[in-house]
Amino acid sequence: KCGQWFTSDCICDTDIRYCAEGENGASDNILDQHPLWNHLQGFYKFEAYKFTFGLYLGTNTFATDNPYIGYLNHTIIGSRDYQHRYDIFPPLDPAKCAPTPDPFINGLPDFVCGETGVLYFFEGFALSTNERDGSLTTTPSLVALQGSDEDGAYLMGEEDNADYKMVPVDENTLQGSVNSDVFLVTETFVFTNEARTEAGSMQDVYAKAGDQSILVQSTRLELTKIDEESFITGLAADLEANNIVPSIRPDAVPMERSCLNKDCPTEEDFCQLDPKCTVSKYLEPDATVKAGPIVGIVSAVFAVLLAVLYLVHRRAMEKQKERLKNMFAKHVVQSLKIGIGASGDFFSMEALQEEFKRIDVGEEGGDGVISKAELRAFMTSGKMGKVTDSDFDTLFGIIDADGSGEVDFIEFATFMGEIKDNIEAFGDDVENQEPEIMDDTEAFEDDNKIHEA
């Protein structure tokens, strides 16, 4: 897992696109991502001006339908934005009635030019994105116009490779665009007063012809924010006042159901892009282990291991040293008769000098130092028996404090002081032992020795 002391940092810490929803403030909800959407959602009535410049290429016509009125509703729920727009056109002046190339108008059985008005209602559904920057997107299957073709797409179909985007510029401005192989649509929405109850919108439609984009339609809206009751009653009254064709009047107002068209987007359509039901492309990569902590762990383990080995070795050396002290002390007791009638001042300077001289009796005897050979001779004399080379070398190294290879009197006296307790303990053991019973032959020999003396 990333973010541990020994693993790589989480990208989520600095980029919320890589966070799970709810982590580090990350949210797929539109209202959480940018304050503009909180200001923009709601109900509007608008007055519109539309300018058409040959919407159907090749006709080279110019027409205006100014002004007309309409209603707009933005409802935002979680990661989804529901837009419903009603464009209400009053009956045309009979003098201007003429055949129209608009297939929608031509397909209305109860439309009478000069007598009935026309309603266009547009429904669009947009979604938040994995960018989590407040921008929205959609697909052709989520953008439809009443009376559109069987595919449910208005102006652009799936095959047109349309790219939809709405991006908040600041708390008052929204910029939108639709770019496809066939059309380019740009739209700007701006609040025009401090209370954000008035707004203006401009939409331009360009048709792509070769390497050129030709402006074919431009629409200007002046919007006023209203409450829901005014929206419902006002829409019904204006549909009646403009004698809108009955066959195209909506049978429900916005959000009594989310879609007013016959064929509405399915959950599958929404989940093509909805970040709440799709897998984000921004996934936290697998964590990597930092080199520094690994080196630190290895170093710490190695240091602990060395410390343990040192302590084990030190304990072993101390035990060996104590064993060798006991061995030497026992031999001193046995060889020098400590504890067997020995005087209490054995550890006096004079007594230690006498004992030193008893050991310093080798080939170099009397030279004031005990050589290795002399100490070995002492250690192997009497009942001590054989001493291993390893034990002897260690013992000699303990006594030979300066490592000179010889033991002087100071080193001998110091060591004897260190093993004083050991010597006294062994001396007490000897004194407390039962007297050895000799057989008759041994007693007779000893008696003769006494008389001879």
Side-chain angles (χ1 to χ4, degrees), residues 240-414:
E240 189 65 33
N242 289 280
N243 195 26
I244 298 302
V245 175
S247 62
I248 57 175
R249 291 190 186 188
D251 61 356
V253 293
M255 304 321 294
E256 286 187 358
R257 62 173 186 260
S258 62
C259 172
L260 304 181
N261 278 296
K262 180 177 66 175
D263 298 320
C264 295
T266 65
E267 186 65 16
E268 182 179 354
D269 293 328
F270 279 107
C271 283
Q272 292 179 35
L273 294 174
D274 192 339
K276 288 186 178 290
C277 52
T278 56
V279 178
S280 173
K281 64 181 179 180
Y282 299 106
L283 298 177
E284 190 78 54
D286 293 337
T288 57
V289 178
K290 295 179 179 177
I294 289 298
V295 172
I297 292 174
V298 172
S299 299
V301 170
F302 187 68
V304 170
L305 181 60
L306 286 179
V308 170
L309 292 175
Y310 169 75
L311 292 175
V312 170
H313 177 71
R314 180 177 175 179
R315 181 173 177 81
M317 292 298 294
E318 288 176 349
K319 290 178 68 176
Q320 183 187 32
K321 184 176 180 180
E322 189 63 25
R323 180 174 62 82
L324 295 175
K325 283 183 177 180
N326 285 332
M327 181 175 68
F328 189 82
K330 185 176 182 180
H331 193 58
V332 167
V333 170
Q334 293 174 344
S335 300
L336 305 181
K337 308 299 183 181
I338 303 299
I340 306 177
S343 63
D345 61 351
F346 172 75
F347 294 99
S348 67
M349 188 62 67
E350 293 78 8
L352 288 175
Q353 287 175 341
E354 288 299 320
E355 302 309 326
F356 182 83
K357 291 177 181 179
R358 292 181 186 180
I359 299 174
D360 181 20
V361 292
E363 293 181 2
E364 304 87 1
D367 59 355
V369 292
I370 299 173
S371 67
K372 263 191 172 186
E374 291 170 334
L375 185 63
R376 179 178 287 277
F378 171 74
M379 291 298 296
T380 56
S381 64
K383 297 181 180 181
M384 189 66 186
K386 184 176 181 181
V387 179
T388 66
D389 292 341
S390 176
D391 280 351
F392 177 76
D393 289 340
T394 302
L395 175 63
F396 191 84
I398 295 171
I399 304 173
D400 181 19
D402 62 3
S404 62
E406 296 175 324
V407 177
D408 59 25
F409 176 73
I410 299 299
E411 291 173 326
F412 176 79
T414 300

Side-chain angles (χ1 to χ4, degrees), residues 52-94:
T52 305
F53 309 94
L55 179 58
Y56 301 95
L57 293 178
T59 61
N60 295 317
T61 59
F62 172 82
T64 61
D65 298 298
N66 301 319
Y68 65 93
I69 61 172
Y71 291 81
L72 172 68
N73 166 233
H74 264 280
T75 299
I76 297 175
I77 302 175
S79 59
R80 300 177 183 182
D81 172 45
Y82 302 83
Q83 302 173 43
H84 303 271
R85 177 174 140 187
Y86 305 78
D87 290 3
I88 302 173
F89 291 87
L92 193 62
D93 183 349

